[in-house]
Amino acid sequence: MSITVIGAGAFGTALAISIGESATLWCRDETHAAEMIDHAENQRRLPGAPLPSGLTVTADLSKACQPDIILLAVPTQKLRSFLTENAALMTHKKLVACCKGIERSSGLGPIGVIEDCVPDTQAAILTGPSFAADIARGLPTALTLACRNEETGKTLQAALTTRNMRLYRTTDTIGAELGGALKNVIAIACGAVMGAKLGESARAALMTRGFAEMQRMALALGAQAETLVGLSGFGDLALTCSSALSRNYQLGLALGSRDNFDPSITVEGAATARAVEMQAQSLGIDMPVTQTVVALLDQRLTIEDAAAQLLTRPLKEE
Ligand SMILES: NC(=O)C1=CN([C@@H]2O[C@H](COP(=O)(O)OP(=O)(O)OC[C@H]3O[C@@H](n4cnc5c(N)ncnc54)[C@H](O)[C@@H]3O)[C@@H](O)[C@H]2O)C=CC1
Ligand SMILES: O=C(CO)COP(=O)(O)O
């Protein structure tokens, strides 16, 4: 079955590599597309990962959008502008969000954004613990494919499972979206703890209390508890909070150690933290770790003050 991947970033390229010769990889920049074809590699975004010989790389969007299944691997905050501009090409397709975040302007997850921009579509999300570099190297990974329509979910699960990506299926799109979005915020917090050398015990505490607030928010918005303890929630939280390969964790490390961080790097958790903080406030949900991350990002709090603030909150039951 032919499949198109929109977005020749690290993740889109890795997905296209794993899908192999039935994949078309669309890149918005013609020069970049030509470079990828010449070098059989995406040297800008995923160096060291050869593109399989049958993989089609193109900058021609109408050519790329022929297949019925389209994977959208652009950052969450860019998804709306891409879809708004190109909605006509996306209508009646099966659109699979391959991004993790909450849109800052609307508070919607990727599926909500897709449904807003392309009403005649069946939207799904592919999420879970998986670094682009691991997928591209053929290392084993397991992800969640969430789609409200069970039949479409089964079709996508079968079409997108590859020899190194094992897909589990759920109809709980809210849980899958929120798990992937919220874990990035907690990963920033964990990176900050490690960057400030506050210790692994502190990181484990933050991961656990961060997971508690992920669950509070997700359940309040209608997610199923089982989804949060699955690959898209706990699974991705564990990966992202413990690996220096994660860009969200790297941003946290930089905040904690007061180092500079390249603002061009895709870090979904920063915008998501702000979107989630606002939503939590309006819903009356207690999310102290997320609030602290926003304060650190805005430089309203030092890491030392942040730790002191979290440690001196009123004592409570677990
Ligand atoms: N890199 C990774 O290991 C993983 C990334 N993801 C998710 O994948 C999503 C994308 O991340 P990466 O590929 O890593 O980022 P990236 O920064 O490597 O690539 C982003 C891509 O989106 C394209 N893009 C940006 N704005 C666009 C627009 N308006 N229209 C069309 N294309 C646009 C860029 O040209 C670039 O090719 C994020 O939501 C991330 O959380 C998920 C799992 C693993
Ligand atoms: O989502 C990811 C792994 O599952 C990638 O995390 P980063 O976006 O923090 O690099």
Side-chain angles (χ1 to χ4, degrees), residues 127-151:
T127 182
S130 51
F131 285 127
D134 291 342
I135 293 177
R137 285 169 63 204
L139 300 179
T141 53
L143 293 94
T144 301
L145 185 283
C147 182
R148 272 198 300 275
N149 181 311
E150 195 151 15
E151 284 314 304

Short mmCIF file of all heavy atoms in Angstrom, two decimals, residues 127-151:
data_model
loop_
_atom_site.label_atom_id
_atom_site.label_comp_id
_atom_site.label_asym_id
_atom_site.label_seq_id
_atom_site.Cartn_x
_atom_site.Cartn_y
_atom_site.Cartn_z
N THR A 127 1.89 7.57 17.83
CA THR A 127 2.66 8.16 18.93
C THR A 127 3.23 7.04 19.80
O THR A 127 2.83 5.88 19.66
CB THR A 127 1.75 9.14 19.72
OG1 THR A 127 2.51 9.75 20.76
CG2 THR A 127 0.53 8.48 20.32
N GLY A 128 4.15 7.38 20.67
CA GLY A 128 4.74 6.35 21.54
C GLY A 128 6.26 6.49 21.56
O GLY A 128 6.83 7.30 20.83
N PRO A 129 6.91 5.69 22.41
CA PRO A 129 8.36 5.86 22.63
C PRO A 129 9.17 5.42 21.41
O PRO A 129 9.22 4.24 21.08
CB PRO A 129 8.64 4.92 23.81
CG PRO A 129 7.54 3.92 23.78
CD PRO A 129 6.34 4.60 23.19
N SER A 130 9.80 6.35 20.73
CA SER A 130 10.52 5.99 19.50
C SER A 130 11.36 7.17 19.04
O SER A 130 10.82 8.15 18.57
CB SER A 130 9.52 5.64 18.40
OG SER A 130 8.57 6.67 18.27
N PHE A 131 12.65 7.06 19.17
CA PHE A 131 13.51 8.11 18.62
C PHE A 131 13.69 7.86 17.13
O PHE A 131 13.88 6.70 16.69
CB PHE A 131 14.88 8.11 19.30
CG PHE A 131 14.86 8.68 20.69
CD1 PHE A 131 15.38 7.98 21.77
CD2 PHE A 131 14.32 9.95 20.92
CE1 PHE A 131 15.37 8.52 23.05
CE2 PHE A 131 14.31 10.50 22.20
CZ PHE A 131 14.82 9.78 23.25
N ALA A 132 13.65 8.95 16.36
CA ALA A 132 13.83 8.84 14.91
C ALA A 132 15.10 8.03 14.59
O ALA A 132 15.09 7.16 13.71
CB ALA A 132 13.93 10.24 14.31
N ALA A 133 16.17 8.31 15.31
CA ALA A 133 17.45 7.64 15.01
C ALA A 133 17.33 6.13 15.21
O ALA A 133 17.90 5.34 14.45
CB ALA A 133 18.54 8.21 15.91
N ASP A 134 16.57 5.70 16.21
CA ASP A 134 16.40 4.26 16.46
C ASP A 134 15.58 3.62 15.34
O ASP A 134 15.94 2.57 14.80
CB ASP A 134 15.68 4.03 17.80
CG ASP A 134 16.55 4.42 19.00
OD1 ASP A 134 17.78 4.54 18.83
OD2 ASP A 134 16.01 4.61 20.11
N ILE A 135 14.47 4.28 14.98
CA ILE A 135 13.62 3.73 13.90
C ILE A 135 14.44 3.61 12.62
O ILE A 135 14.42 2.59 11.93
CB ILE A 135 12.39 4.63 13.67
CG1 ILE A 135 11.47 4.61 14.88
CG2 ILE A 135 11.62 4.20 12.41
CD1 ILE A 135 10.26 5.54 14.77
N ALA A 136 15.18 4.67 12.31
CA ALA A 136 15.93 4.70 11.04
C ALA A 136 17.01 3.62 11.00
O ALA A 136 17.34 3.12 9.94
CB ALA A 136 16.54 6.08 10.85
N ARG A 137 17.55 3.27 12.17
CA ARG A 137 18.58 2.22 12.20
C ARG A 137 18.00 0.82 12.20
O ARG A 137 18.71 -0.17 12.28
CB ARG A 137 19.45 2.39 13.46
CG ARG A 137 20.44 3.55 13.36
CD ARG A 137 21.08 3.84 14.70
NE ARG A 137 21.86 2.73 15.21
CZ ARG A 137 22.13 2.54 16.51
NH1 ARG A 137 21.66 3.36 17.42
NH2 ARG A 137 22.86 1.52 16.88
N GLY A 138 16.66 0.74 12.16
CA GLY A 138 16.02 -0.58 12.13
C GLY A 138 15.91 -1.21 13.50
O GLY A 138 15.62 -2.41 13.62
N LEU A 139 16.14 -0.43 14.56
CA LEU A 139 16.03 -1.00 15.92
C LEU A 139 14.55 -1.20 16.26
O LEU A 139 13.69 -0.49 15.76
CB LEU A 139 16.70 -0.06 16.93
CG LEU A 139 18.19 0.22 16.70
CD1 LEU A 139 18.74 1.18 17.74
CD2 LEU A 139 18.97 -1.10 16.72
N PRO A 140 14.25 -2.16 17.13
CA PRO A 140 12.83 -2.45 17.43
C PRO A 140 12.14 -1.34 18.21
O PRO A 140 12.72 -0.79 19.15
CB PRO A 140 12.89 -3.73 18.28
CG PRO A 140 14.32 -4.08 18.45
CD PRO A 140 15.19 -3.06 17.81
N THR A 141 10.93 -1.02 17.83
CA THR A 141 10.14 -0.01 18.53
C THR A 141 8.67 -0.48 18.60
O THR A 141 8.25 -1.29 17.77
CB THR A 141 10.15 1.35 17.80
OG1 THR A 141 9.77 1.14 16.44
CG2 THR A 141 11.50 2.02 17.83
N ALA A 142 7.93 0.05 19.57
CA ALA A 142 6.49 -0.25 19.66
C ALA A 142 5.77 1.07 19.87
O ALA A 142 6.17 1.88 20.72
CB ALA A 142 6.21 -1.21 20.81
N LEU A 143 4.74 1.31 19.06
CA LEU A 143 4.02 2.59 19.13
C LEU A 143 2.52 2.35 19.22
O LEU A 143 2.05 1.23 19.03
CB LEU A 143 4.30 3.42 17.86
CG LEU A 143 5.72 3.93 17.68
CD1 LEU A 143 6.54 2.98 16.82
CD2 LEU A 143 5.72 5.29 17.03
N THR A 144 1.79 3.43 19.50
CA THR A 144 0.33 3.38 19.56
C THR A 144 -0.26 4.06 18.34
O THR A 144 0.16 5.17 17.99
CB THR A 144 -0.16 4.15 20.82
OG1 THR A 144 0.42 3.53 21.97
CG2 THR A 144 -1.68 4.12 20.93
N LEU A 145 -1.22 3.38 17.72
CA LEU A 145 -1.98 4.00 16.62
C LEU A 145 -3.38 4.23 17.17
O LEU A 145 -4.08 3.27 17.52
CB LEU A 145 -1.99 3.05 15.42
CG LEU A 145 -2.61 3.48 14.10
CD1 LEU A 145 -4.10 3.45 14.07
CD2 LEU A 145 -2.09 4.85 13.64
N ALA A 146 -3.77 5.50 17.29
CA ALA A 146 -5.09 5.79 17.86
C ALA A 146 -6.00 6.38 16.79
O ALA A 146 -5.64 7.33 16.10
CB ALA A 146 -4.95 6.78 19.03
N CYS A 147 -7.19 5.79 16.67
CA CYS A 147 -8.17 6.28 15.70
C CYS A 147 -9.56 5.97 16.26
O CYS A 147 -9.80 4.85 16.71
CB CYS A 147 -7.96 5.55 14.36
SG CYS A 147 -9.07 6.13 13.07
N ARG A 148 -10.43 6.99 16.24
CA ARG A 148 -11.78 6.76 16.80
C ARG A 148 -12.55 5.72 16.00
O ARG A 148 -13.33 4.96 16.55
CB ARG A 148 -12.57 8.08 16.85
CG ARG A 148 -12.34 8.86 18.13
CD ARG A 148 -13.42 9.89 18.34
NE ARG A 148 -13.46 10.84 17.24
CZ ARG A 148 -12.70 11.93 17.15
NH1 ARG A 148 -11.84 12.22 18.12
NH2 ARG A 148 -12.80 12.74 16.12
N ASN A 149 -12.36 5.71 14.68
CA ASN A 149 -13.04 4.74 13.84
C ASN A 149 -12.25 3.42 13.85
O ASN A 149 -11.12 3.35 13.35
CB ASN A 149 -13.14 5.30 12.41
CG ASN A 149 -13.86 4.35 11.49
OD1 ASN A 149 -13.56 3.16 11.43
ND2 ASN A 149 -14.83 4.89 10.76
N GLU A 150 -12.87 2.38 14.42
CA GLU A 150 -12.12 1.15 14.66
C GLU A 150 -11.64 0.51 13.35
O GLU A 150 -10.51 0.00 13.27
CB GLU A 150 -13.00 0.17 15.45
CG GLU A 150 -12.20 -0.93 16.03
CD GLU A 150 -12.79 -1.49 17.32
OE1 GLU A 150 -13.97 -1.22 17.61
OE2 GLU A 150 -12.04 -2.20 18.00
N GLU A 151 -12.48 0.50 12.33
CA GLU A 151 -12.10 -0.12 11.05
C GLU A 151 -10.91 0.61 10.42
O GLU A 151 -9.97 -0.01 9.96
CB GLU A 151 -13.29 -0.13 10.07
CG GLU A 151 -14.32 -1.20 10.39
CD GLU A 151 -13.67 -2.56 10.70
OE1 GLU A 151 -12.92 -3.07 9.85
OE2 GLU A 151 -13.90 -3.10 11.81
#
